[in-house]
Amino acid sequence: MRPLIGITAGEVRDATRPDSITVQGQGYTYIDAIVRAGGLPIILPITTNKIVLRQIYERVDGLLLAGGNDLNPKLYREKAYPTTTDFSDERDATEIQLAKWALEEPKSILAICRGMQLINVLHGGTLYQELSVDLPTASDHMVSTKLKNNFHLAHELIIEPSSRLVKILGATKVYANSHHHQAIKKLGKDLIVSAKTVDGVIEAIEGTHQSYLIGVQAHPESLEKEVEPRWQKMFASFVEAASQ
Ligand SMILES: [Mn+2]
Protein backbone atom coordinates (compact mmCIF):
# COMPACT_ATOMS: atom_id res chain seq x y z
CA MET A 1 0.00 0.00 0.00
CA ARG A 2 1.13 3.54 -0.73
CA PRO A 3 1.41 5.82 2.32
CA LEU A 4 -1.66 7.90 3.11
CA ILE A 5 -0.88 11.62 2.93
CA GLY A 6 -3.30 13.97 4.65
CA ILE A 7 -3.56 17.34 2.90
CA THR A 8 -5.18 20.06 5.00
CA ALA A 9 -8.29 21.65 3.52
CA GLY A 10 -8.82 25.31 2.80
CA GLU A 11 -12.09 27.24 2.86
CA VAL A 12 -13.66 28.38 -0.39
CA ARG A 13 -16.39 31.00 -0.31
CA ASP A 14 -18.62 32.09 -3.18
CA ALA A 15 -18.62 35.88 -2.79
CA THR A 16 -21.38 36.21 -5.36
CA ARG A 17 -23.77 34.18 -3.21
CA PRO A 18 -24.01 35.34 0.41
CA ASP A 19 -26.35 32.42 1.19
CA SER A 20 -23.88 29.79 0.00
CA ILE A 21 -22.25 27.42 2.46
CA THR A 22 -18.46 27.62 2.77
CA VAL A 23 -16.81 24.75 0.92
CA GLN A 24 -13.79 22.85 2.26
CA GLY A 25 -11.36 21.68 -0.36
CA GLN A 26 -7.95 21.80 -1.88
CA GLY A 27 -6.37 22.42 -5.29
CA TYR A 28 -5.71 19.74 -7.88
CA THR A 29 -1.99 20.55 -7.84
CA TYR A 30 -1.51 19.21 -4.30
CA ILE A 31 -3.44 16.04 -5.08
CA ASP A 32 -1.60 15.46 -8.36
CA ALA A 33 1.84 16.09 -6.82
CA ILE A 34 1.20 13.49 -4.09
CA VAL A 35 -0.16 10.96 -6.60
CA ARG A 36 2.94 11.43 -8.81
CA ALA A 37 5.18 11.11 -5.77
CA GLY A 38 3.74 7.68 -4.92
CA GLY A 39 1.36 8.64 -2.11
CA LEU A 40 -2.37 8.30 -1.48
CA PRO A 41 -3.71 11.83 -1.07
CA ILE A 42 -6.64 12.52 1.19
CA ILE A 43 -8.06 15.91 2.15
CA LEU A 44 -8.32 16.45 5.91
CA PRO A 45 -11.38 18.45 6.95
CA ILE A 46 -11.42 21.49 9.20
CA THR A 47 -13.18 20.52 12.42
CA THR A 48 -13.04 21.70 16.00
CA ASN A 49 -14.01 18.23 17.25
CA LYS A 50 -10.72 17.00 18.69
CA ILE A 51 -11.81 13.36 18.97
CA VAL A 52 -12.81 13.27 15.31
CA LEU A 53 -9.64 15.06 14.27
CA ARG A 54 -7.44 12.69 16.28
CA GLN A 55 -9.03 9.61 14.73
CA ILE A 56 -8.49 11.03 11.25
CA TYR A 57 -4.92 11.99 12.15
CA GLU A 58 -4.10 8.46 13.34
CA ARG A 59 -5.01 7.03 9.94
CA VAL A 60 -2.57 9.15 7.95
CA ASP A 61 1.15 8.46 7.50
CA GLY A 62 2.23 11.98 6.60
CA LEU A 63 0.87 15.51 6.95
CA LEU A 64 0.91 18.10 4.18
CA LEU A 65 0.10 21.55 5.56
CA ALA A 66 -1.22 23.37 2.52
CA GLY A 67 -1.17 27.02 1.47
CA GLY A 68 -4.02 29.45 1.76
CA ASN A 69 -5.19 32.45 3.70
CA ASP A 70 -3.20 34.37 6.33
CA LEU A 71 -2.79 33.07 9.87
CA ASN A 72 -4.50 35.04 12.61
CA PRO A 73 -1.65 37.29 13.86
CA LYS A 74 -2.78 36.78 17.45
CA LEU A 75 -0.97 33.42 17.13
CA TYR A 76 2.30 35.39 17.21
CA ARG A 77 0.99 38.04 19.58
CA GLU A 78 0.36 40.81 17.03
CA LYS A 79 -2.64 42.85 15.94
CA ALA A 80 -3.74 42.39 12.33
CA TYR A 81 -2.54 44.85 9.71
CA PRO A 82 -5.28 46.10 7.33
CA THR A 83 -3.77 43.76 4.69
CA THR A 84 -3.87 40.69 6.94
CA THR A 85 -7.29 39.42 6.06
CA ASP A 86 -9.51 36.42 5.59
CA PHE A 87 -8.11 34.45 8.49
CA SER A 88 -10.03 31.49 9.84
CA ASP A 89 -9.71 30.55 13.49
CA GLU A 90 -11.23 27.13 12.72
CA ARG A 91 -8.63 26.35 10.06
CA ASP A 92 -5.81 27.71 12.24
CA ALA A 93 -6.92 25.58 15.20
CA THR A 94 -7.33 22.43 13.09
CA GLU A 95 -3.90 22.72 11.48
CA ILE A 96 -2.14 23.66 14.72
CA GLN A 97 -3.58 20.60 16.42
CA LEU A 98 -2.60 18.29 13.53
CA ALA A 99 0.90 19.77 13.37
CA LYS A 100 1.40 19.46 17.16
CA TRP A 101 0.50 15.77 17.06
CA ALA A 102 2.71 15.17 14.03
CA LEU A 103 5.67 16.97 15.65
CA GLU A 104 5.25 15.06 18.91
CA GLU A 105 4.99 11.59 17.42
CA PRO A 106 6.76 12.36 15.01
CA LYS A 107 5.07 11.96 11.60
CA SER A 108 6.56 13.38 8.41
CA ILE A 109 5.47 16.95 7.66
CA LEU A 110 5.68 18.93 4.43
CA ALA A 111 4.57 22.53 4.97
CA ILE A 112 3.78 24.73 1.99
CA CYS A 113 3.43 28.54 2.05
CA ARG A 114 0.93 29.23 4.85
CA GLY A 115 1.91 25.80 6.20
CA MET A 116 5.55 26.87 6.56
CA GLN A 117 4.44 30.04 8.35
CA LEU A 118 2.29 27.96 10.69
CA ILE A 119 5.23 25.67 11.54
CA ASN A 120 7.37 28.71 12.30
CA VAL A 121 4.73 30.27 14.55
CA LEU A 122 4.19 26.95 16.31
CA HIS A 123 7.91 26.96 17.19
CA GLY A 124 7.65 30.45 18.66
CA GLY A 125 8.61 32.39 15.53
CA THR A 126 6.94 35.48 14.04
CA LEU A 127 5.96 36.76 10.59
CA TYR A 128 6.28 39.94 8.58
CA GLN A 129 2.60 40.67 8.10
CA GLU A 130 3.21 42.74 4.98
CA LEU A 131 6.57 42.49 3.20
CA SER A 132 6.05 45.72 1.26
CA VAL A 133 5.69 47.60 4.57
CA ASP A 134 7.93 45.65 6.95
CA LEU A 135 10.76 44.83 4.54
CA PRO A 136 10.58 47.42 1.75
CA THR A 137 14.01 46.39 0.42
CA ALA A 138 12.60 42.99 -0.58
CA SER A 139 11.51 42.36 -4.14
CA ASP A 140 7.81 41.85 -4.89
CA HIS A 141 6.94 38.37 -3.58
CA MET A 142 3.34 38.67 -4.82
CA VAL A 143 4.58 38.86 -8.40
CA SER A 144 3.24 35.46 -9.52
CA THR A 145 -0.19 36.24 -8.04
CA LYS A 146 -0.26 39.62 -9.78
CA LEU A 147 0.67 37.94 -13.07
CA LYS A 148 -2.10 35.36 -12.39
CA ASN A 149 0.46 32.67 -13.20
CA ASN A 150 1.00 29.69 -10.89
CA PHE A 151 3.73 28.41 -13.20
CA HIS A 152 5.68 31.66 -13.07
CA LEU A 153 9.35 31.33 -12.11
CA ALA A 154 9.61 34.44 -9.97
CA HIS A 155 12.96 33.98 -8.33
CA GLU A 156 15.79 31.62 -7.62
CA LEU A 157 16.12 30.09 -4.16
CA ILE A 158 19.63 29.93 -2.81
CA ILE A 159 19.75 26.74 -0.79
CA GLU A 160 21.95 26.27 2.28
CA PRO A 161 24.67 23.72 1.31
CA SER A 162 24.42 21.87 4.64
CA SER A 163 20.63 21.53 4.50
CA ARG A 164 18.52 18.46 4.01
CA LEU A 165 16.83 20.26 1.10
CA VAL A 166 20.07 20.49 -0.88
CA LYS A 167 20.57 16.72 -0.53
CA ILE A 168 16.97 16.06 -1.58
CA LEU A 169 16.97 18.36 -4.62
CA GLY A 170 20.57 17.71 -5.60
CA ALA A 171 21.01 21.43 -6.32
CA THR A 172 22.04 24.61 -4.50
CA LYS A 173 19.73 26.77 -6.60
CA VAL A 174 16.20 26.11 -7.76
CA TYR A 175 13.48 28.28 -9.26
CA ALA A 176 10.16 28.98 -7.58
CA ASN A 177 6.97 30.97 -7.97
CA SER A 178 6.07 33.64 -5.42
CA HIS A 179 2.53 34.12 -4.11
CA HIS A 180 3.10 35.51 -0.63
CA HIS A 181 2.81 38.96 0.96
CA GLN A 182 3.98 37.64 4.33
CA ALA A 183 7.21 35.86 5.31
CA ILE A 184 9.12 34.58 8.31
CA LYS A 185 10.52 37.37 10.50
CA LYS A 186 11.92 35.69 13.63
CA LEU A 187 12.77 32.03 13.08
CA GLY A 188 11.26 29.60 15.57
CA LYS A 189 13.21 27.35 17.91
CA ASP A 190 14.57 24.00 16.59
CA LEU A 191 14.29 25.21 12.99
CA ILE A 192 16.96 26.21 10.47
CA VAL A 193 16.69 28.33 7.35
CA SER A 194 17.39 26.13 4.35
CA ALA A 195 16.77 28.63 1.51
CA LYS A 196 16.49 32.36 0.89
CA THR A 197 16.10 34.64 -2.10
CA VAL A 198 18.82 37.21 -2.84
CA ASP A 199 16.84 39.92 -1.01
CA GLY A 200 17.11 37.90 2.21
CA VAL A 201 13.53 36.61 2.39
CA ILE A 202 13.31 33.17 4.00
CA GLU A 203 11.97 30.72 1.41
CA ALA A 204 12.52 27.33 3.08
CA ILE A 205 13.01 25.94 6.57
CA GLU A 206 13.54 22.54 8.10
CA GLY A 207 13.53 20.91 11.50
CA THR A 208 16.81 20.17 13.27
CA HIS A 209 15.58 16.76 14.48
CA GLN A 210 15.82 13.48 12.62
CA SER A 211 12.17 13.39 11.59
CA TYR A 212 11.06 14.80 8.22
CA LEU A 213 10.02 18.44 8.56
CA ILE A 214 10.42 20.67 5.53
CA GLY A 215 8.71 23.97 4.85
CA VAL A 216 8.73 25.99 1.64
CA GLN A 217 7.30 29.45 1.07
CA ALA A 218 6.61 28.92 -2.65
CA HIS A 219 4.05 26.64 -4.32
CA PRO A 220 6.25 23.91 -5.87
CA GLU A 221 3.17 21.70 -6.34
CA SER A 222 2.33 24.00 -9.26
CA LEU A 223 5.81 23.66 -10.77
CA GLU A 224 6.89 20.07 -10.25
CA LYS A 225 5.06 18.56 -13.22
CA GLU A 226 6.98 20.35 -15.95
CA VAL A 227 8.11 23.89 -15.13
CA GLU A 228 10.70 23.01 -12.46
CA PRO A 229 10.67 19.18 -12.20
CA ARG A 230 13.48 19.16 -9.62
CA TRP A 231 10.73 19.84 -7.06
CA GLN A 232 9.40 16.32 -7.70
CA LYS A 233 12.28 15.05 -5.59
CA MET A 234 10.98 16.93 -2.57
CA PHE A 235 7.50 15.42 -2.86
CA ALA A 236 9.02 11.97 -3.45
CA SER A 237 11.27 12.31 -0.38
CA PHE A 238 8.28 13.35 1.74
CA VAL A 239 6.14 10.40 0.61
CA GLU A 240 9.09 8.05 1.09
CA ALA A 241 9.70 9.37 4.62
CA ALA A 242 5.98 9.01 5.42
CA SER A 243 6.09 5.33 4.36
CA GLN A 244 8.76 4.45 6.97
MN1 LIG B 1 8.99 34.40 -2.61
Side-chain angles (χ1 to χ4, degrees):
M1 285 283 279
R2 290 171 162 223
L4 189 63
I5 304 297
I7 302 170
T8 57
E11 294 176 348
V12 187
R13 294 182 192 87
D14 184 350
T16 64
R17 292 205 25 217
D19 61 320
S20 65
I21 292 165
T22 301
V23 172
Q24 296 194 29
Q26 205 42 267
Y28 268 77
T29 47
Y30 292 102
I31 312 291
D32 291 347
I34 294 301
V35 169
R36 267 194 292 277
L40 295 177
I42 187 156
I43 298 172
L44 307 183
I46 297 164
T47 175
T48 51
N49 186 315
K50 205 171 161 179
I51 295 164
V52 167
L53 196 61
R54 178 72 198 186
Q55 292 191 19
I56 294 168
Y57 165 80
E58 284 178 5
R59 283 166 169 78
V60 303
D61 302 304
L63 178 65
L64 194 161
L65 295 164
N69 48 322
D70 296 335
L71 295 170
N72 190 329
K74 77 175 184 202
L75 295 169
Y76 45 95
R77 301 161 303 279
E78 280 190 18
K79 284 205 162 63
Y81 286 18
T83 52
T84 304
T85 55
D86 192 34
F87 39 82
S88 158
D89 289 336
E90 291 76 19
R91 182 175 179 190
D92 289 352
T94 299
E95 291 183 337
I96 286 169
Q97 183 62 75
L98 289 167
K100 274 186 180 165
W101 284 329
L103 290 165
E104 269 164 30
E105 195 175 336
K107 260 178 199 176
S108 297
I109 301 176
L110 180 61
I112 293 180
C113 195
R114 161 197 163 88
M116 176 178 101
Q117 296 173 358
L118 184 135
I119 287 294
N120 185 54
V121 166
L122 203 50
H123 286 78
T126 62
L127 304 180
Y128 291 118
Q129 285 196 48
E130 182 55 55
L131 275 174
S132 60
V133 173
D134 296 328
L135 200 65
T137 53
S139 62
D140 184 1
H141 285 259
M142 279 292 276
V143 60
S144 306
T145 311
K146 287 175 186 167
L147 291 169
K148 298 185 170 59
N149 183 358
N150 293 320
F151 313 112
H152 177 237
L153 298 176
H155 46 47
E156 211 170 31
L157 309 192
I158 302 149
I159 309 171
E160 177 56 46
S162 62
S163 66
R164 188 171 193 160
L165 191 61
V166 110
K167 285 185 201 83
I168 291 168
L169 297 178
T172 52
K173 286 180 178 180
V174 66
Y175 282 99
N177 47 13
S178 201
H179 290 281
H180 56 112
H181 71 115
Q182 302 192 332
I184 290 178
K185 186 178 181 181
K186 185 188 118 197
L187 186 70
K189 198 172 161 275
D190 300 327
L191 299 172
I192 61 158
V193 172
S194 46
K196 284 184 178 182
T197 36
V198 282
D199 55 6
V201 171
I202 295 175
E203 288 277 347
I205 59 170
E206 51 196 66
T208 53
H209 297 297
Q210 273 303 94
S211 57
Y212 192 102
L213 172 60
I214 285 187
V216 288
Q217 183 59 73
H219 282 281
E221 75 283 2
S222 294
L223 308 175
E224 56 83 45
K225 191 176 179 189
E226 41 201 24
V227 185
E228 179 52 289
R230 286 182 290 183
W231 284 115
Q232 283 175 4
K233 294 178 188 164
M234 183 182 73
F235 289 97
S237 71
F238 166 57
V239 170
E240 167 65 25
S243 72
Q244 311 265 303

